[in-house]
Amino acid sequence: MTGTSGFVYSADYLKYHFHENHPFNQKRVLLTKELLEAHQVLSNHDLISPRLATEEELLLFHHPNYMETVKRAGSGEITEESALEYGIGTEDTPAFFQMHEAASYLVGGTLAAVDAVLNNNYTHALNLGGGLHHGFRSRASGFCIYNDSAVAIKYIRKHTNFKVLYVDTDAHHGDGVQSAFYDDPNVCTFSIHETGRYLFPGTGNINERGIKEGHGYTFNLPIDAFTQDESFLALYETAFKEIAAFFKPDIIVTQNGVDAHCLDPLTHLCGTMRIFEEIPRIAHELAHEYCDGKWIAIGGGGYDMWRVIPRAWGQIWNVMKNNKVSYGELPTTWLEKWQEQSSVELPHLWQDLEDIQPYIPRKDEITEKNYQLLQSLLKYTKPINYSNNLSAKQK
């Protein structure tokens, strides 16, 4: 499997900034870029410049009144009460100066990735500044103002007749993207996430299947809290392959939240770096099997900025660029530069140490519960042998 890959980046991504103590910090994109540069797998030749999404492009998904509210909130020209009607001014999504411009730039980054692939400049493109999957048509939610994934998929559908498969591996359900295409048979959404029983946004049940002509093109795997690598990967690989065979996409868009890691402070899943090595590998494989390689990957959630995100997101690029993950020591230059700023000790290896996962007494019960969940999902495609996949992962 070969293909060319582009990496979308600008320092202006850091302007999407709620406040110093907010968990969503775009510095994580800079950390990842500099790790890849120090690892000598990313150069200026690979870079794609983002752009501002136009108002016309934003309106492919968002309501005009909402866009105007975002503009006014970013310039302090709206009352708190009026902003809250659109989800702006909450603890999760507070207003900040020039928020319309900053959010438009993230959307434009994902559109630049889309254009790079649609125009055949690259086979794959990565925009780690995107992945704001909680944004709704007329409401900000969960750190997300504009929904770059929804806008980008609408853009793809406007300019092509491609069937789009959207795959979301964030620990939080991709509710905004699901809602955008819930009645669309040409866009299939698949989200594997921690059950919403105790975690925001509380949606993404397996019985959420779409409506009208879109019924049957929404897939959800709300896995149990404390799920570890083997069960997560068995479900992800099995479901992704079956859904791809069922839908036969022309292009794949993956949202790569990395908050399923056991160190993430906002979720309850118990994955390691092993998950984030396999997630892009399988996406890459299926993009070449069904889509002539056309794959757009974007960022997403992830709140351990120092120990998890740079390595996890770095592996997406390693797979895109070289069709393999990286192993061994992290670059000394990167460690020395950023350790001074980090509040925790930085890991020195691409992989996690074996003792990083906590002991989970309910592991067998969780694994069985997840297995039954997968069986329920597979009846919408066709049954395959999950147990073989699981045993292979445990070897």
Side-chain angles (χ1 to χ4, degrees), residues 96-224:
F96 63 92
F97 180 62
Q98 292 190 336
M99 61 192 298
H100 166 76
E101 291 79 8
S104 298
Y105 208 58
L106 301 187
V107 176
T110 299
L111 292 177
V114 168
D115 281 335
V117 173
L118 294 188
N119 296 334
N120 297 314
N121 297 325
Y122 295 94
T123 313
H124 322 306
L126 175 61
N127 179 35
L128 294 173
L132 305 182
H133 61 167
H134 295 306
F136 283 84
R137 184 167 185 256
S138 297
R139 189 175 82 251
S141 177
F143 315 157
C144 305
I145 299 167
Y146 294 140
N147 190 321
D148 62 293
S149 304
V151 172
I153 294 170
K154 294 278 189 182
Y155 182 89
I156 292 170
R157 291 293 304 156
K158 178 181 178 181
H159 293 282
T160 74
N161 197 35
F162 286 168
K163 295 168 63 181
V164 183
L165 175 56
Y166 170 82
V167 178
D168 190 319
T169 49
D170 197 289
H172 301 87
H173 175 231
D175 54 346
V177 182
Q178 176 179 294
S179 74
F181 304 102
Y182 210 49
D183 60 355
D184 190 341
N186 295 300
V187 178
C188 181
T189 64
F190 166 45
S191 178
I192 178 170
H193 49 270
E194 182 183 332
T195 173
R197 192 178 304 116
Y198 307 111
L199 187 71
F200 175 89
T203 54
N205 294 320
I206 197 164
N207 59 358
E208 295 172 23
R209 301 280 296 124
I211 58 173
K212 301 178 182 177
E213 292 182 357
H215 181 75
Y217 295 95
T218 295
F219 294 89
N220 285 295
L221 281 176
I223 58 178
D224 216 31

Side-chain angles (χ1 to χ4, degrees), residues 28-40:
R28 59 208 183 129
V29 185
L30 173 63
L31 288 167
T32 305
K33 173 180 177 284
E34 292 202 358
L35 172 61
L36 292 169
E37 289 171 334
H39 195 55
Q40 299 184 343

Side-chain angles (χ1 to χ4, degrees), residues 70 110 271 284 314 321 348 369:
V70 173
T110 299
H284 186 237
K321 180 75 173 176
H348 286 241
K369 198 171 178 180

Side-chain angles (χ1 to χ4, degrees), residues 14-85:
L14 277 70
K15 293 180 180 178
Y16 190 91
H17 183 69
F18 294 106
H19 55 74
E20 286 301 321
N21 297 318
H22 197 283
F24 190 95
N25 190 336
Q26 288 291 61
K27 188 174 183 177
R28 59 208 183 129
V29 185
L30 173 63
L31 288 167
T32 305
K33 173 180 177 284
E34 292 202 358
L35 172 61
L36 292 169
E37 289 171 334
H39 195 55
Q40 299 184 343
V41 292
L42 179 68
S43 68
N44 288 337
H45 178 74
D46 301 310
L47 297 181
I48 299 171
S49 295
R51 59 177 176 82
L52 277 173
T54 66
E55 292 187 6
E56 181 184 4
E57 289 165 343
L58 293 172
L59 295 176
L60 289 172
F61 174 59
H62 291 289
H63 193 282
N65 292 348
Y66 175 63
M67 185 179 68
E68 290 304 315
T69 299
V70 173
K71 287 182 184 179
R72 293 171 61 203
S75 57
E77 299 174 2
I78 192 171
T79 65
E80 181 179 345
E81 183 180 4
S82 297
L84 285 171
E85 290 179 13

Side-chain angles (χ1 to χ4, degrees), residues 180-370:
F181 304 102
Y182 210 49
D183 60 355
D184 190 341
N186 295 300
V187 178
C188 181
T189 64
F190 166 45
S191 178
I192 178 170
H193 49 270
E194 182 183 332
T195 173
R197 192 178 304 116
Y198 307 111
L199 187 71
F200 175 89
T203 54
N205 294 320
I206 197 164
N207 59 358
E208 295 172 23
R209 301 280 296 124
I211 58 173
K212 301 178 182 177
E213 292 182 357
H215 181 75
Y217 295 95
T218 295
F219 294 89
N220 285 295
L221 281 176
I223 58 178
D224 216 31
F226 308 110
T227 293
Q228 295 185 308
D229 292 350
E230 294 87 353
S231 181
F232 184 104
L233 288 172
L235 266 70
Y236 166 74
E237 181 172 3
T238 301
F240 193 171
K241 288 183 173 179
E242 287 302 297
I243 292 166
F246 160 79
F247 186 63
K248 297 180 175 55
D250 300 303
I251 191 168
I252 293 174
V253 177
T254 61
Q255 194 270 15
N256 295 270
V258 293
D259 41 5
H261 195 281
C262 60
L263 293 178
D264 194 273
L266 300 188
T267 71
H268 314 98
L269 298 178
C270 284
T272 70
M273 288 303 301
R274 184 178 163 201
I275 285 178
F276 306 111
E277 295 165 359
E278 290 298 300
I279 283 173
R281 182 191 67 78
I282 295 164
H284 186 237
E285 173 188 324
L286 294 177
H288 279 281
E289 181 174 349
Y290 291 97
C291 312
D292 295 323
K294 289 187 286 294
W295 172 31
I296 295 146
I298 51 182
Y303 307 99
D304 192 310
M305 183 173 73
W306 298 104
R307 295 175 294 182
V308 175
I309 299 173
R311 294 184 298 153
W313 278 354
Q315 295 290 23
I316 305 170
W317 179 250
N318 290 328
V319 170
M320 272 194 173
K321 180 75 173 176
N322 299 316
N323 196 22
K324 61 182 181 180
V325 300
S326 289
Y327 293 92
E329 297 277 343
L330 297 180
T332 303
T333 53
W334 184 84
L335 290 169
E336 289 176 348
K337 175 179 179 178
W338 291 110
Q339 184 60 71
E340 294 179 3
Q341 297 186 35
S342 174
S343 58
V344 293
E345 183 178 356
L346 297 178
H348 286 241
L349 301 171
W350 280 97
Q351 281 66 41
D352 286 322
L353 299 178
E354 290 185 5
D355 62 356
I356 195 169
Q357 280 185 318
Y359 171 68
I360 305 297
R362 294 178 51 245
K363 181 177 179 179
D364 290 345
E365 177 188 338
I366 290 167
T367 300
E368 175 62 22
K369 198 171 178 180
N370 288 341

